[in-house]
Amino acid sequence: MRILYFAWLRERVGLGEEQVDLPAGIADVAGLIAWLRTRGPGFEAAFAQGRLVRCAVNQDFAGPDAAIAPGDEVAFFPPVTGG
Amino acid sequence: MRILYFAWLRERVGLGEEQVDLPAGIADVAGLIAWLRTRGPGFEAAFAQGRLVRCAVNQDFAGPDAAIAPGDEVAFFPPVTGG
Amino acid sequence: MDAVGATIRVQTADFDIAAESRALGADRTDIGGMASFVGLVRGTASGRPISSMTLEHYPGMTERALGAIGDAATQRFELQGCTVIHRVGILLPGDQIVLVLTAAPHRQAALDGCAFLIDWLKTRAPFWKKERFADGTESWVDAREADDVTAERWGRL
Amino acid sequence: MDAVGATIRVQTADFDIAAESRALGADRTDIGGMASFVGLVRGTASGRPISSMTLEHYPGMTERALGAIGDAATQRFELQGCTVIHRVGILLPGDQIVLVLTAAPHRQAALDGCAFLIDWLKTRAPFWKKERFADGTESWVDAREADDVTAERWGRL
């Protein structure tokens, strides 16, 4: 699975993109976030502010219940501020 | 008094601008129109469609009750269609 | 707020919206957004092809009316500036007729100010359009009832 | 109606609104009006002077989101076409950030389509701004609650 991080999430996590092998039993965005938080203080800091993190699965906005599967592209980022 | 005509009013009346000596007793726009209508078939035709004629006195929109006096600039025209 | 006020021009020449935007924003960095509307000559009227359109206006009153509308919009929407350019004379299908350009710290004021200006301009500025059809006949454009209704939503000036 | 669809560009280069207007209206005479909004970098944030702003985006999703929004606006407001250009990279105070340009037979559709597009773009397009202050500190811009509320008035896409 390809995971992307943008803006301050990218800075906290310390990388913009990574390829991960999803552990068995993780089937939705909420589960992925719970697992990511265990991967170090940067991840813990980034996702502790859960309310302000937005997610896209395969480039569509997705909520915590959205299903994920190996091969998906999942992105995490703050609320958008373009325009 | 200077009187101006625009658009199809100008074409019906046959002139764009004239200087007139206002007959005694005419004190408002409605009175001026009544008098203008007596000045020939072009004027009669232009002002017969009274509902669609707009007026400005000294370059401000004015209704039939608006006061007029010698020295004023009075303009007659159809509803505006700019923009 | 430092409003520069309304720039009003009535001209036969065409205009360049990029140049007007640069002029409106020149030497300042407090503008958050500019909104614009450009009216164009359409090639048909009531389904019939037109060859040209002639715009007549009331010199003196036009500038006065546009200036008053521009100042009212600037105050009401707290604009940092606005530009209104209206062409007169003979125009061809596809030609630009009118430009309304507004600047404000935030987008809503710029957008609202722009809509307000074009609505009022259509109902209160002394311009008249005559269409010349492809068959050689000519006809003055009728004022649209819909324009009066649209302008009413802003209330009386 | 003959819609040309949405033109979407994400680029570091500046844009010229006059050139984009000409491109949108090229070879057609059925457009009655074009509305636009241009967002600019303001020289201060929360009262503090900024020296630059960096715009980051999500390549791929950005074009997809803007394309979807452009198509939705074209259908909903029966636009004859629309152009959305969003810059990324380092921008300076006074620089242009974003252009939304809409074309329609009548002004209301063009104006409404433009307002709709910029509202949705601000809440749904994956761009993020980081401000660099004159004192050298940097800060990611917070999303404005007000933008979500403004976008809500159009209903869900």
Side-chain angles (χ1 to χ4, degrees):
Chain A
M1 169 174 287
R2 190 181 178 211
I3 308 185
L4 306 171
Y5 307 93
F6 293 98
W8 61 255
L9 266 111
R10 175 176 49 72
E11 293 178 340
R12 299 262 175 104
V13 166
L15 45 84
E17 179 172 348
E18 62 176 337
Q19 197 72 34
V20 302
D21 291 322
L22 202 59
I26 294 180
D28 61 18
V29 169
L32 178 59
I33 290 175
W35 174 68
L36 288 171
R37 288 181 67 172
T38 68
R39 293 176 67 221
F43 286 92
E44 172 58 34
F47 289 98
Q49 308 192 24
R51 210 175 63 80
L52 291 174
V53 173
R54 297 287 183 268
C55 179
V57 175
N58 298 323
Q59 305 188 352
D60 281 322
F61 284 100
D65 299 335
I68 55 170
D72 282 348
E73 175 177 301
V74 181
F76 294 102
F77 43 78
V80 304
T81 56
Chain B
M1 170 174 288
R2 188 182 179 211
I3 306 185
L4 305 171
Y5 307 94
F6 292 98
W8 60 254
L9 266 111
R10 175 176 49 71
E11 294 178 339
R12 299 263 176 104
V13 166
L15 46 85
E17 179 173 346
E18 61 177 337
Q19 195 74 33
V20 303
D21 290 322
L22 201 60
I26 296 180
D28 60 19
V29 168
L32 176 60
I33 289 175
W35 174 68
L36 287 171
R37 288 181 67 173
T38 68
R39 293 176 67 220
F43 284 93
E44 173 57 33
F47 289 99
Q49 306 191 26
R51 210 176 63 81
L52 291 174
V53 173
R54 298 286 183 270
C55 179
V57 175
N58 297 323
Q59 305 188 352
D60 281 322
F61 284 100
D65 299 335
I68 54 169
D72 283 347
E73 175 177 301
V74 180
F76 294 103
F77 43 78
V80 303
T81 56
Chain C
M1 196 58 56
D2 200 28
V4 299
T7 297
I8 305 297
R9 294 213 304 275
V10 179
Q11 62 190 39
T12 53
D14 199 7
F15 51 79
D16 182 296
I17 185 174
E20 298 304 331
S21 298
R22 282 192 295 271
L24 188 54
D27 300 322
R28 58 191 300 172
T29 58
D30 57 342
I31 296 173
M34 293 192 193
S36 79
F37 178 81
V38 172
L40 303 168
V41 179
R42 281 187 292 164
T44 57
S46 312
R48 297 167 62 200
I50 70 162
S51 56
S52 69
M53 172 176 279
T54 303
L55 266 141
E56 176 173 330
H57 75 124
Y58 180 173
M61 181 172 169
T62 318
E63 292 78 0
R64 201 178 142 118
L66 293 181
I69 292 170
D71 289 344
T74 301
Q75 284 213 340
R76 177 168 178 162
F77 299 97
E78 300 187 5
L79 302 179
Q80 292 166 314
C82 67
T83 300
V84 178
I85 301 176
H86 205 301
R87 294 178 71 190
V88 292
I90 298 175
L91 301 176
L92 304 178
D95 278 357
Q96 302 188 117
I97 304 172
V98 62
L99 167 69
V100 171
L101 179 65
T102 57
H106 297 286
R107 75 183 182 286
Q108 203 57 51
L111 291 164
D112 288 346
C114 180
F116 169 90
L117 276 165
I118 189 67
D119 284 351
W120 273 100
L121 193 154
K122 288 216 167 234
T123 52
R124 304 291 291 180
F127 292 94
W128 301 275
K129 288 179 185 139
K130 187 181 209 175
E131 290 161 338
R132 183 176 180 85
F133 292 94
D135 63 11
T137 59
E138 292 189 326
S139 162
W140 290 98
V141 174
D142 279 331
R144 293 179 64 224
E145 194 80 30
D147 284 334
D148 284 328
V149 174
T150 305
E152 288 297 335
R153 72 187 158 124
W154 301 107
R156 284 278 159 215
L157 266 181
Chain D
M1 197 57 58
D2 200 30
V4 299
T7 297
I8 305 297
R9 294 213 306 275
V10 179
Q11 61 190 40
T12 53
D14 200 6
F15 52 79
D16 181 297
I17 186 174
E20 298 304 331
S21 298
R22 281 191 297 271
L24 188 55
D27 301 321
R28 59 191 299 172
T29 57
D30 57 343
I31 296 173
M34 292 191 193
S36 79
F37 177 81
V38 173
L40 303 168
V41 180
R42 281 186 293 164
T44 57
S46 313
R48 296 167 62 199
I50 70 161
S51 55
S52 69
M53 172 175 280
T54 303
L55 267 141
E56 177 174 330
H57 76 123
Y58 180 173
M61 180 172 170
T62 317
E63 293 78 0
R64 201 179 142 118
L66 293 181
I69 292 169
D71 290 342
T74 300
Q75 284 215 341
R76 176 168 179 162
F77 299 98
E78 299 186 8
L79 302 179
Q80 292 166 314
C82 66
T83 300
V84 178
I85 301 175
H86 205 300
R87 295 177 70 189
V88 292
I90 299 175
L91 302 176
L92 304 179
D95 278 357
Q96 300 187 120
I97 304 170
V98 62
L99 167 69
V100 171
L101 179 65
T102 57
H106 297 285
R107 74 183 183 286
Q108 202 57 51
L111 291 165
D112 288 347
C114 181
F116 170 90
L117 276 165
I118 188 68
D119 283 352
W120 272 100
L121 194 153
K122 288 214 166 236
T123 53
R124 305 289 292 180
F127 292 94
W128 301 276
K129 288 178 184 139
K130 188 182 209 174
E131 290 160 338
R132 185 175 180 84
F133 292 93
D135 63 11
T137 58
E138 292 190 326
S139 162
W140 291 97
V141 174
D142 280 330
R144 293 178 64 225
E145 194 79 30
D147 285 334
D148 284 326
V149 173
T150 305
E152 288 297 334
R153 72 188 159 124
W154 301 106
R156 282 281 157 213
L157 264 180

